[in-house]
Each structure stands twice: as structure tokens, then as C-alpha cells.
Amino acid sequence: MLLAFILTLAIHARADVVPNILFSDNAVLQQEMKVPIWGTAAPGEKVRVEFAGQTVTGVAGADGKWLVYLAPIKAGGPYTLAVSGRNTVQATNVLVGEVWLCSGQSNMERQLGSRAGQKPITNVEREIAEANYPQIRHFGVEQTKSFAPVQSVKGAWLICSPATVKDFTAVGYFFGRDLFKARGVPIGLLHSSWGGTPAEAWSSESTLRGLTDFAPTLDLLKRVQSDPQGARREYANRLELWFGRVDPGSHPGATWSAHDLDTASWKEMTLPTLWESVGEPDLDGVVWFRKNFDLPDNFAATDAELDLGMIDDMDTTWVNGVQVGALNGYQLVRKYPVPAGVLKPGRNVIAVRVLDTGGGGGLYGGDKLQLVFKNEAGMGPVPLSGPWQYRVTVNLKNAPWPPTSITENATAPTVLYNGMIAPLLPFAMRGVIWYQGEANVGRERQYRTLFPAMIAGWRQAWGEGDFPFLFVQIAPFSGMTPEIREAQFLSWQSTRNTAMVVTTDCGDPVDIHPAHKQPVGARLALAARALAYHERIEYSGPEFESMSIKGTNAVLRFRHLGGGLASREEPMKGFTIAGSDKNFVPAHAEIHGKAVVVTSPDVAHPAAVRYGWANVPEGNLINKAGLPASPFRTDTDPE
């Protein structure tokens, strides 16, 4: 014990001063705001920070952490940031300007360069060739998940150039480029995103404790830290109980995974593919898949491996009624061992139960599905790509939501806040741009409170007041509901100092990752200029405000007129109208000054109007600033 104590003292005595990696070469620090600088050193060590003519000092605490603040600095540079204690560390080529956090899921994660399985960004070759903006810097936070807040991240500041910009978030780059052109100061982009992730993963425990929906899962997450195996067993039991209640194929006594099952009424789907693209659009829920294949009469029992590629989101897989694997995670490759004795001569059956809770669903990833035998079997792979039988058993629109996952994946509550947001605190920044919501489809009513709560939690954690929070409304896509756009619309209306970018004119009905990212970044930059920098410009399309009924006409009024209402072409599209029976029919719409008058010969007594109310909305209402109106309905459900 004495030796260990002496060694500990020696280690502390030798401990170097280490600034947080956010304060490294090529960094951008926030202008005109006090700037926190922090890191680690030996407990009790005095730390000196020098930057842009300022010198500040601090002392590392008993835990080895230190934090000092620079007084506000005007935009400029480059400077050298020097941090000294027993040693000195320097960060060179540091600029002072405007820092924005870019966060969300895959449409923020999508880099400007190529990405497997996704379309190239529009005009990408020209965009990359022209990306010579050395005063724009990008820090990509390494994707990290954690059940408890971590202290630091991995990443590096990159200077924007044609050689580096391919790794920048595309939306963030277009935002930063337009902001740089408008403001003329250095721009720092902190990029922290993860595809396919829900808002609760980006929320702190204290935020979610205020929302009763998440209490049971948070309690289970606490147990994960002390008894991970027990917590996972508990979650698996809860999930199977849910399947047993809502899924006919999983009811007690059901044998849908069995070798013999009457499937004459089942449909057929060619795999691999996402089921939304081949006859099951807008479906989040449970689908069973089955595939028959034959082995020769002289087949000898041997081990094999079942390769099903990637499955979105969660699967349980059986061979001849024997469970061989189960995983949760749309980016995980399924390679399940099939023990000797499970396969047999003649007819064999694979059954896969898939649960998808948002976005695409199904057996979608991998060049081919196959069963591979051990070499001693003397047999080649059994191809499994092609026709499978399938049956939809649960649509989450009409079923209780499954228990939230507490497994070690990026969708669990708090894990991305802990791993990718908490370690950025309290880095000084101007505000946030956010592109997320796809992974919360199916829980749109919950998102109405979850999303504003997440924003409030981030603002409280940063301690910079109600900083601008600018977000992108979900683009048109076959699997994205109008209710999720409404939840975002209502969040915008109820949350101070926010802006919502409408993308109804730059989506892709068959691709959840639209390639036309330039308008998204440009509109975020407009919102930043208006909210963060108080430029007197229009930054939003028409925002529905109120409806009045005058005879057979519904008269709609809007905010954010941008010089007046307009239509991209005639006639106006996207409006439907209904009476008290809620039977909506296509409507005629005309602009009358600052209002839109909506009517139909089939509705004598209007009660409600909807605009763009579809997964892939059609609408052409804009303002004279050229910005599109958000979809809306006047008959919004109460909370």
C-alpha cells in the first residue's frame, strides 16, 4: 500500500498540463463572449493560459481538472493559444469568430463526399472544387455512446479546402459557407451527429426525468451500470412480453418460427430490400419473413453460418424452429452460427421476426443473403437472396410502443448526450443547427414535448441563455408522416428563439437522404442571420396563424409574409378542406392579399383546412422571399 501511494504521488508530480482537445491546432473560438478554456493537470497545479494578449491563471482541483475564462475577444487571428504548468502546450493557427454546433441524425451526419448506399450530393464535384475557405473550420466529434457523461471527445479541427471538405457535414458546410459570406468572420463547425438516432438519445437524464414516458427506461439504464447482464435480461423479458401481447406470431402457443406453418395467405417480397420500397410504405412495426430451402438427402450434420446482412432495426431469427440469433441495430451485420444438428436433409425453414420503429425497415443490407457451411461439409453456400414470404403483424400506428432499448446502441436514452454533447460543455458557441426527427416517427405526439424539452436541457447545460436553436423540418419521404412535421412546427411555435427550415421543395419521396442539401444550409444561414445577428431579413416561409369562416370560404392568415404571399405556379396545390364530418376533399385556393381563401363546392360549411398533409406533400405556397410554407392543419389534435 505504501509503495502504491508513493507511485501515485510520483505520477501526479509528473502529470502534464493537457488542454482539452477542443483547444488544439486550427480551432475557432467564439467571439464577443467569455471563452472557457479547460483541461487536466496534476492536482493543485497552477495553470497559465495566454491568448490574444490575455493571460489568465487557474489551479487544478483535487480531481486534476482546471477551468479558466478568457474575456470576450473580437473576431480575428490567427493566434497561438499557450497553456502552461510544469510543461507548456501550444495550439497554433487559432481563429476567433462564430462557432455553431451541428447535430442530429443521418441527414446532418451525411458528409459532402461520397457515402455507400446514398446518392451523391447535388453538384458535389463543383462544390468540392470550390471549397477553398481556410477561415471555415470543422471539428468532427467521434461517435461515442455512454451510460454516464464522459469528459472528453476524440476529433480534430480541419481547415476547409477541396482536400478536406469531403469529410465535413454537408448541411453544416453549406450553412457555414453562406454564413461566412454574409458575416465575413471565421466560422467554426462543431459536428456531433449519429444516423438513425432518436431525440431521447441526445437528451440528458435530468431532461428525461421530467417526462414520465422515460422513467422506467431510465431506471433500467441505472441498473445497466451495476448489473449489465441482469438489465439486459430484464429488457429482453419486457420486450418478449410486449411481442406476446401485440404480435400474433409471438402469442403464447404461436408457432410462426416453427418448421411447419401454413403460409398460403402470406405475401412475397424479394430480399434484400427495405419493405417501404416494395409495397409496404409508411410501415413501422413487426413483419415476419420465412424462407424455405432444400438440402440434399445425403446432407451430414455440420456447423454453418447464416448471413442475413443488415436488418433495420431489430430481428429474432430461427432455423427450423431453433433460435440462432437476435440483434438490435440497423447498422449491425447479422452472421449467426447454426449449430450442427439444426439443419437436416430435405426442406429447411428460416424465420425472421423484424421490429422496425422508424425510417426504413427489413432485411436490407449486404450484397447477398446466404447460408455458408464449414469446409468439411463439402458444400457451397446456399443462396438466400430472392423471394421470401412475409406477413405484417403489427403497425405501430395502432399498437402500444415497444419498450425502449437499453442495449449498447445509439438509440438508448441519454447515451449520445453523455458521449457526444456533455463533453463539449461549456465550449462557447453562438447556437445550434439541428436535423433530426426521422427516428421519432411513430411517436409524434411524444415528440411535441420531448423535442422542446431537449432544447431546454441543452440551453440549461450550456448556461448561455436561450441561444438560437435552428432546426430542419423533415423532408418529403414515403416513410415520414405529416404528424412529425406538425410536431416540429408546434415545437417551433412554442419554443423561444428557434427557427424551422421547411424542405418540402427539396426532398426525395423514395430516399430518406435527399441529395439537395444546399437549400437546407442556405435557409439555416438565413435563420442564423435573423435570430443570432439580428439582420432585418426574412428567414421563414409563411407560417399558419389563424382561420376564419366566411360563408363557404375558409380564410387563412399567416405570419412571415416576406413581402407578400405567392405561389410557385398556378393553380395552388396541396390544400384540402372538410366540414364537421372530417371528410377532407381537394380544395380550390387563392391568394387574397395577406390571406389564402380556400373553398370547395363539396363542402358547404367548412370546419377545417389542411395543407401539405401527406408523407410526400404537394404544395406551392411561398412568400415573396421565395421560402416555402410549412405543412399544417387547422384541426390539430390537443395535447
Side-chain angles (χ1 to χ4, degrees):
M1 290 177 64
L2 178 60
L3 178 60
F5 177 70
I6 293 171
L7 288 173
T8 300
L9 290 178
I11 290 169
H12 284 169
R14 296 197 309 269
D16 288 340
V17 168
V18 180
N20 189 282
I21 196 171
L22 294 169
F23 308 103
S24 54
D25 292 349
N26 308 319
V28 180
L29 304 183
Q30 177 61 47
Q31 69 164 332
E32 298 175 347
M33 186 183 297
K34 68 175 185 177
V35 177
I37 310 289
W38 71 93
T40 59
E45 185 169 355
K46 186 176 180 179
V47 177
R48 176 188 180 97
V49 175
E50 298 172 271
F51 184 76
Q54 295 188 44
T55 299
V56 293
T57 61
V59 177
D63 58 0
K65 299 175 185 176
W66 56 266
L67 168 67
V68 299
Y69 285 89
L70 297 170
I73 312 164
K74 290 186 177 180
Y79 301 106
T80 295
L81 174 67
V83 181
S84 304
R86 293 187 178 92
N87 62 300
T88 298
V89 180
Q90 291 188 340
T92 61
N93 195 24
V94 176
L95 302 179
V96 178
E98 290 297 307
V99 178
W100 287 81
L101 173 57
C102 315
S103 191
Q105 59 180 109
S106 57
N107 275 303
M108 183 63 77
E109 180 184 14
R110 173 61 204 270
Q111 71 272 35
L112 185 61
S114 61
R115 191 177 188 89
Q118 295 186 22
K119 298 175 182 176
I121 299 296
T122 303
N123 296 326
V124 65
E125 292 182 1
R126 187 185 71 191
E127 297 288 8
I128 291 174
E130 295 177 354
N132 189 22
Y133 296 98
Q135 288 199 312
I136 299 177
R137 312 285 175 84
H138 178 280
F139 186 98
V141 175
E142 183 176 289
Q143 292 182 337
T144 305
K145 50 190 182 294
S146 175
F147 290 130
V150 301
Q151 300 301 314
S152 188
V153 297
K154 294 180 180 179
W157 286 98
L158 299 179
I159 300 172
C160 181
S161 71
T164 63
V165 76
K166 292 179 284 189
D167 295 322
F168 286 28
T169 158
V171 166
Y173 166 68
F174 293 129
F175 163 79
R177 181 190 65 183
D178 284 20
L179 199 58
F180 173 74
K181 290 179 178 179
R183 304 300 299 176
V185 299
I187 302 295
L189 304 171
L190 275 176
H191 175 209
S192 183
S193 67
W194 195 315
T197 55
E200 61 266 27
W202 295 98
S203 302
S204 68
E205 180 182 355
S206 60
T207 294
L208 296 180
R209 285 288 178 192
L211 305 173
T212 56
D213 292 356
F214 295 96
T217 302
L218 291 172
D219 292 341
L220 199 55
L221 282 170
K222 286 293 185 185
R223 187 179 169 194
V224 167
Q225 297 173 56
S226 59
D227 181 15
Q229 294 303 319
R232 291 186 182 92
R233 285 193 301 270
E234 182 177 334
Y235 171 70
N237 291 337
R238 289 173 56 196
L239 186 62
E240 281 306 316
L241 287 173
W242 178 85
F243 275 118
R245 288 195 304 270
V246 304
D247 172 33
S250 305
H251 284 172
T255 56
W256 286 30
S257 60
H259 182 271
D260 296 316
L261 180 70
D262 182 4
T263 58
S265 63
W266 289 36
K267 298 179 182 179
E268 188 174 276
M269 184 181 298
T270 299
L271 300 179
T273 189
L274 292 172
W275 62 54
E276 284 83 356
S277 62
V278 287
E280 299 296 341
D282 312 334
L283 174 64
D284 295 319
V286 179
V287 178
W288 280 80
F289 293 89
R290 286 174 64 95
K291 176 75 171 181
N292 299 332
F293 63 94
D294 292 323
L295 294 176
D297 293 340
N298 63 351
F299 173 75
T302 185
D303 293 337
E305 182 180 77
L306 179 60
D307 182 358
L308 296 179
M310 290 180 284
I311 299 178
D312 193 346
D313 293 315
M314 178 186 302
D315 76 290
T316 309
T317 298
W318 297 263
V319 175
N320 293 333
V322 177
Q323 184 174 326
V324 296
L327 279 175
N328 183 6
Y330 74 99
Q331 292 179 315
L332 301 177
V333 175
R334 273 66 171 180
K335 289 183 180 290
Y336 295 141
V338 182
V342 173
L343 297 165
K344 59 184 182 180
R347 179 174 167 271
N348 292 262
V349 178
I350 300 169
V352 184
R353 182 185 65 192
V354 178
L355 167 62
D356 174 59
T357 58
L363 287 73
Y364 77 98
D367 296 332
K368 54 187 176 183
L369 314 182
Q370 60 183 357
L371 182 72
V372 180
F373 298 97
K374 296 292 185 179
N375 291 335
E376 59 265 24
M379 294 179 58
V382 175
L384 299 174
S385 299
W388 286 57
Q389 291 182 295
Y390 80 98
R391 183 172 173 181
V392 179
T393 58
V394 178
N395 189 322
L396 289 176
K397 290 182 179 179
N398 311 310
W401 202 259
T404 303
S405 170
I406 52 83
T407 56
E408 292 179 357
N409 66 57
T411 65
T414 75
V415 295
L416 300 186
Y417 178 87
N418 292 334
M420 299 179 67
I421 298 299
L424 304 179
L425 294 165
F427 196 87
M429 65 176 188
R430 183 64 67 187
V432 172
I433 63 171
W434 174 262
Y435 197 155
Q436 189 276 335
E438 297 96 330
N440 286 91
V441 166
R443 295 178 290 149
E444 295 90 348
R445 291 183 65 84
Q446 183 188 68
Y447 199 74
R448 295 185 193 178
T449 53
L450 170 60
F451 184 38
M454 190 207 82
I455 296 172
W458 284 24
R459 286 172 167 173
Q460 182 179 20
W462 249 277
E464 292 183 0
D466 291 340
F467 56 69
F469 197 104
L470 321 175
F471 60 92
V472 182
Q473 191 182 49
I474 299 305
F477 174 64
S478 60
M480 294 293 106
T481 66
E483 286 83 3
I484 194 65
R485 297 188 191 97
E486 179 183 55
Q488 294 174 308
F489 180 83
L490 295 173
S491 297
W492 171 39
Q493 291 189 319
S494 66
T495 309
R496 185 180 177 278
N497 210 25
T498 60
M500 183 182 73
V501 165
V502 178
T503 58
T504 51
D505 58 341
C506 48
D508 187 329
V510 297
D511 193 339
I512 200 170
H513 304 112
H516 200 30
K517 294 287 195 283
Q518 289 88 336
V520 182
R523 292 168 190 175
L524 286 167
L526 285 177
R529 291 169 60 190
L531 269 63
Y533 308 113
H534 311 294
E535 295 185 34
R536 298 178 64 84
I537 58 173
E538 183 56 82
Y539 64 93
S540 171
E543 174 195 2
F544 171 70
E545 182 178 28
S546 65
M547 179 182 73
S548 60
I549 303 299
K550 296 184 177 180
T552 60
N553 296 333
V555 181
L556 309 179
R557 298 197 177 276
F558 298 83
R559 290 183 283 262
H560 291 286
L561 300 180
L565 297 175
S567 176
R568 289 197 189 278
E569 67 273 328
E570 297 295 340
M572 296 187 71
K573 298 184 294 186
F575 288 90
T576 58
I577 193 168
S580 58
D581 60 0
K582 294 292 185 73
N583 179 30
F584 284 88
V585 298
H588 175 75
E590 289 185 354
I591 295 171
H592 288 201
K594 297 181 179 180
V596 174
V597 178
V598 184
T599 187
S600 169
D602 299 322
V603 180
H605 303 287
V609 171
R610 295 178 176 180
Y611 171 73
W613 200 254
N615 287 24
V616 182
E618 257 196 312
N620 51 11
L621 177 63
I622 59 173
N623 57 25
K624 289 187 178 178
L627 299 171
S630 168
F632 65 89
R633 56 175 172 173
T634 65
D635 56 323
T636 297
D637 294 333
E639 292 296 337

